[in-house]
Amino acid sequence: MDNYLIFTILAGVLALAFAFFLSNSISKEDPGNEKMAEIAGHIHDGAMAFLKTEYRYLAAFIVIVGAVLAIFVKWQTAICFAFGALFSISAGYFGMNVATKANVRTAEAARHGQNKALKIAFSGGSVMGMSVVGLGIFGLGIMYFIFGGNMEVVTGYGLGASSIALFARVGGGIYTKAADVGADLVGKVEAGIPEDDPRNPAVIADNVGDNVGDVAGMGADLFESYVGSIISALTLGAVLFTNKEGAVYTLLLSAIGIVASIIGVLFARRSKASNPQKALNSGTYIGGAIVIISSAILSNGIFGNLKAFWAIAAGLVVGMLIGKITEIYTSDEYKSVKKIADQSETGPATTIISGLATGMYSTLWPILLICVGVMVSYFIMDGKTNPTMGLFGIALSAVGMLSTTGLTVAVDAYGPIADNAGGIAEMSELPHEVREITDKLDSVGNTTAAIGKGFAIGSAALTALALFASYAQAVNLTNIDLLNPITLVGLFIGAMLPFLFGAMTMESVGKAAKEMIEEVRRQFNTIPGLMEGKAKPDYKKCVDISTAAAIREMILPGILAIVVPIGVGLLLGKEALGGLIGGAVATGVLVAILMANAGGAWDNAKKYIEGGQHGGKGSYAHKAAVVGDTVGDPFKDTSGPSMNILIKLMTIVSLVFAPIILKYGGILISLLK
Amino acid sequence: MDNYLIFTILAGVLALAFAFFLSNSISKEDPGNEKMAEIAGHIHDGAMAFLKTEYRYLAAFIVIVGAVLAIFVKWQTAICFAFGALFSISAGYFGMNVATKANVRTAEAARHGQNKALKIAFSGGSVMGMSVVGLGIFGLGIMYFIFGGNMEVVTGYGLGASSIALFARVGGGIYTKAADVGADLVGKVEAGIPEDDPRNPAVIADNVGDNVGDVAGMGADLFESYVGSIISALTLGAVLFTNKEGAVYTLLLSAIGIVASIIGVLFARRSKASNPQKALNSGTYIGGAIVIISSAILSNGIFGNLKAFWAIAAGLVVGMLIGKITEIYTSDEYKSVKKIADQSETGPATTIISGLATGMYSTLWPILLICVGVMVSYFIMDGKTNPTMGLFGIALSAVGMLSTTGLTVAVDAYGPIADNAGGIAEMSELPHEVREITDKLDSVGNTTAAIGKGFAIGSAALTALALFASYAQAVNLTNIDLLNPITLVGLFIGAMLPFLFGAMTMESVGKAAKEMIEEVRRQFNTIPGLMEGKAKPDYKKCVDISTAAAIREMILPGILAIVVPIGVGLLLGKEALGGLIGGAVATGVLVAILMANAGGAWDNAKKYIEGGQHGGKGSYAHKAAVVGDTVGDPFKDTSGPSMNILIKLMTIVSLVFAPIILKYGGILISLLK
């Protein structure tokens, strides 16, 4: 095994070892009193029950797609695919298992002060982060080694990761929003009981939702992004370099990114800063700095110049700026959210209009920044004289953005753990101060998470473009001509898919939420003594409804994302499929940004009003803002985040199935004279 | 002058003569009592005041852009541009002038029965229709003759038509929705007075809005579509045929379309059918049948085969099916609208979510149908061996869809005239039966209008694609390669523009509506005796607010649509501009369909509930449905309809400015090494 490969795989092992260490340290913490343990047990069981049901369906999916790959493509691809899927599943399982232990321990620790609670919650998030990058790079490294760096085959690993990500994101997103809307609408609005009140039958499902959506779903999402970006760079690198410099650079940078993430996590955990925001930021900055410096040294050492470094730096700067813009459009410190809150005074219709307008406006700068990122990383790598090298630069800038994914996931997963801790504190009737601490911890990760979102969106676009180029090479296309009406037909279909996908997932949330609402209403009406706290609600029934709905509704969109590209390729040919990917990437990124930012802005406008503006809680403006927030829920937590995965999944499906498209593609066109 | 050209210009003259005849026949009708005349006078004056203010700004715009064209492109192009703009303006002015006379006469006629009222309202709409096609083809024919069929120059006529259309649609859309929302929110909801109550200060502005938005704005829109489709076919035809067969076919077909429209109008007017829907339908079908048959005869006569006929038939079928699908998603006879009404029972948030999901779903079939239309018309015209001929087929299918534009506009403009008649009846306190008749007439045009919408959307996509191909030829691009990152950058920017444009126009409506709301509230609060009917409101103030807001807010989006394509072409080059057009067309069509159908579905869900379902008027579900309808207003009447114009305007800007792009384009790229 080559040294760089050993180093890469060892970095993965190191991350996993660190995850075990963190996991153990969490297990040693005090899980609180009996009541807390009971509630935490319900959440844990609900989350695990969902994962197990989900995995049964995913197992069938893996077997079927694996068989198709083995028969029609290559058995090696099928193996890589299965490993990608299984490793993604394992990361989600392990991370969520620990998250549902960390939540109650965070609640208990919060009784004794903020610092320790922060440490436990962040450790819990870090386990998810380290599992994602550790398993991601370990599995990829092993596949790369076994199949001798044959990227045509290793890409299957990315297909596995992407398809699991789509199911996990869609399923988790539907689960969490159905439970959330059901708990809020009947519990808070109709019955008038507070958030996380143990009398609410949907309260456990709501807390389970945070775990399966915001921990496991998000983890699978970033597993896919992380692995996808590395694969796109490796694939282009394999074409470009005879001595594997591309692979060496990409893998070493990823390995260093893991080490940097571990150092960042350690810094954030050890930080004695009284402001928890500072602790998280310091870790993030240190991790980023290590990657930047290493990328320059590696660039000079491997390529003999700093071009690769500049491509990576461009990616990082673009990602951070997109994050900043996300913040400007979604934080109540800036005018967009204030304007939405102001418009709430004239009712829900104006709240919705101004939120949608904000979301649409918010696409402008991220898109322009992505364009700048594309151009800088392309031209700096001499794309003008060697287009493939330029595309490699684009892939590298995505790798750079995602190199500290371990840290990003840690911060992202930390939020729902703190949120869950608050829920457990509420349900176990812990003192009010405990909830205050967990609320503070929950709100803290937001800025850091916004930067993570910027990286996710930016890298999705760049990775998809790089994979797109690889697809073209795989099907021997030297150009995909927009003047060819067949390409345009593909472009139209591709551009439409994110809309269709958004419609399907939004409607699924609506359907599932309706079932939940009816069940919660039923329990309130039929269980005697429930409202007086004398009888217990049937938590399990609500958990079952969310589980069943999430599983049922995730199947069709997931299958569509795989079948449509193959179908279009077979019927209309490889140019049409190229157009499809181009169209899907363009509108997918736009819809993702629109939905994420409109949802975030509505959410914070509501919180802003709850903070006392425009009449505060219960005012006319607040009621309007709640409508905005409810519309925003499936936007930002279900449909929006699935878009990034959708576009990459469709691209990687095209790439993996390229041999078939190449051989049989364009059946319909050849029938037309 | 060649015979076919004489015939074309004569057809234009015939349409105009018919318009004058109809206009005279309307003038002879009884304008009702003094009170009616007074109210109609207010509406007429308000509408004319708006047009005059708008035209002052447009005059400055025409002078500036004309000068730019004369200096940087060609003086001949500038002349064509000015004529295109002036003819579009004239059509709007003339049509709206007559519409604001027809409204009060329709109200008067409705006192004596339905048939006569239908005849007057439809005659009023037909004047607009005949003005649009008459002036459109007459001006185009003259320009074509003067400049010897030099399409490079004549395209300027389309640029003039498109830019006026954008301003008129955006300005008119903002005007009508600001007045509508202001009148409804304060008058109906807050003060609790009925629709069109004369005590409402915004009631005149609301009725003026129907004219400037739904008559003049819509007319300019279809003037642009009509002219644009013919120009796209002429441009491609000029490249293909040395003996002008392409031009002969296109122009003769358009001329026959005018004759067919006149016959259709006469049939609908003379129809003795008791059901007014049947009268309108019979006219539409007869017009369509004449075009179909003539296109076959012409195709055989000019080209010696039926290929052109099939391309046209494909366009017509696709347009009709899109119209049918529009109906399925927006009529309360189908499940989507029923579902939205059902979701209204759980409040405004679920109403919004399900309306948005419906809008997004509703993009699927129209997009697939457009794709089928593109492919059929391309391959039937031998696009596989001669791509330009295939593209000519695409252009022809758009010409086919729009050949009976005269009829489409007549039906479209008939609705707001009947609506206005109802308003006048209400304000003049005519008997209740009068309002019932006008309401019935108003609702009748909807199905026919839906088919018109299908044609508008379908033809916009096809025309834009055909113009896109002409652009490529004009800048010597033989392919626009999606694998070139610069093209992708253009694609991203282009795809983003409809979102930006939608955000701008939606926010403009919000801003203008807010001003209106405040003014109406002020008048209710400060004018003593207003609510008791003893004092008159200050109608003019509200008219002025809508006018000022519409003019102010239309400028920036209008300028952007012209400056951005030129800017991208100059900075990033002709490939990037090609990508921009491709991206803008794809998302523009999608956003247009989404907004039109979501808006229509919300509107009809509200009406469905008002018809007695889910508790009827005043119920919880009704309140939620009103929120949906208010959100849908700017969707369907401002932002949505502007998208079709936006994409064609940007394409035609690129085509007209092609010589400059060719010479100076790509400044930034050439600076990058």
Side-chain angles (χ1 to χ4, degrees), chain B residues 532-543:
Chain B
E532 295 76 34
K534 288 177 196 155
K536 275 197 177 178
D538 186 353
Y539 296 133
K540 199 172 167 299
K541 197 74 193 278
C542 291
V543 168

Side-chain angles (χ1 to χ4, degrees), chain A residues 181 185 307 339 342-343 345-346 348-350 352-354 356-361 363-364 367-368 370-372 374-375 378-380 382 384 391 394 461 465 468-469 472 477-493 495-500 502-507 509-511 514 517 521 572 578-579 582-583 585-587 589-591 594-595 602 626-628 630-632 634-635 643 668-673, chain B residues 181 185 307 339 342-343 345-346 348-350 352-354 356-361 363-364 367-368 370-372 374-375 378-380 382 384 387 391 394 461 465 468-469 472 477-493 495-496 498-500 502-507 509-511 514 517 521 572 578-579 582-583 585-587 589-591 594-595 602 626-628 630-632 634-635 643 668-673:
Chain A
V181 171
L185 223 84
K307 289 174 180 177
K339 205 193 258 173
D342 186 46
Q343 290 278 0
E345 296 226 338
T346 36
T350 38
I352 298 295
I353 291 177
S354 74
L356 284 173
T358 298
M360 291 171 101
Y361 265 124
T363 59
L364 172 62
I367 288 291
L368 293 183
I370 289 172
C371 290
V372 170
V374 165
M375 287 179 56
Y378 182 78
F379 285 110
I380 205 90
D382 305 319
K384 216 170 181 179
L391 291 163
I394 293 176
L465 295 185
F468 179 45
L477 275 173
T478 49
N479 78 68
I480 298 176
D481 185 11
L482 262 188
L483 292 173
N484 178 354
I486 302 301
T487 311
L488 281 169
V489 163
L491 184 81
F492 270 75
I493 296 174
M496 176 266 293
L497 289 174
F499 284 72
L500 179 64
M504 292 173 83
T505 46
M506 267 165 53
E507 211 160 66
V509 170
K511 254 197 268 179
K514 212 180 169 197
I517 287 170
R521 278 186 189 154
L572 303 180
V585 172
T587 53
V589 171
L590 282 161
V591 174
L594 187 169
M595 288 189 153
W602 275 318
V626 168
V627 172
T630 313
V631 172
F635 265 47
M643 294 292 161
L668 188 63
I669 300 299
S670 60
L671 288 177
L672 298 167
K673 51 162 190 181
Chain B
V181 172
L185 224 85
K307 290 174 179 175
K339 204 193 261 172
D342 187 44
Q343 290 279 359
E345 296 225 337
T346 37
T350 38
I352 298 295
I353 290 175
S354 73
L356 285 174
T358 298
M360 290 169 101
Y361 265 124
T363 59
L364 172 62
I367 288 291
L368 293 183
I370 289 173
C371 291
V372 169
V374 164
M375 287 178 58
Y378 181 79
F379 284 109
I380 205 89
D382 305 318
K384 217 170 178 180
L391 291 164
I394 293 176
L465 295 185
F468 179 45
L477 275 172
T478 50
N479 78 67
I480 297 177
D481 184 11
L482 262 188
L483 292 172
N484 177 354
I486 302 300
T487 311
L488 281 169
V489 162
L491 183 81
F492 271 73
I493 295 175
M496 177 267 293
F499 284 71
L500 179 64
M504 291 173 83
T505 46
M506 266 165 55
E507 212 161 65
V509 170
K511 254 197 270 180
K514 211 180 169 196
I517 288 169
R521 279 186 187 155
L572 303 180
V585 171
T587 54
V589 171
L590 282 161
V591 174
L594 187 168
M595 288 190 154
W602 276 319
V626 168
V627 172
T630 312
V631 172
F635 265 48
M643 294 293 162
L668 188 63
I669 301 299
S670 59
L671 288 178
L672 298 167
K673 50 161 189 182

Side-chain angles (χ1 to χ4, degrees), chain B residues 182-194 200 520 524:
Chain B
D184 282 3
L185 224 85
V186 189
K188 272 158 67 173
V189 180
E190 290 181 13
I193 57 177
N200 192 330
V520 175
F524 274 130

Side-chain angles (χ1 to χ4, degrees), chain B residues 297-361:
Chain B
I297 297 171
L298 282 178
S299 180
N300 201 41
I302 295 173
F303 302 113
N305 59 47
L306 285 178
K307 290 174 179 175
F309 158 72
W310 286 116
I312 282 176
L316 286 171
V317 171
V318 163
M320 279 187 190
L321 288 177
I322 295 177
K324 186 69 201 167
I325 285 159
T326 306
E327 207 191 323
I328 289 174
Y329 279 104
T330 59
S331 151
D332 65 9
E333 284 169 31
Y334 297 89
K335 67 172 186 193
S336 290
V337 169
K338 286 195 178 117
K339 204 193 261 172
I340 295 174
D342 187 44
Q343 290 279 359
S344 298
E345 296 225 337
T346 37
T350 38
T351 310
I352 298 295
I353 290 175
S354 73
L356 285 174
T358 298
M360 290 169 101
Y361 265 124

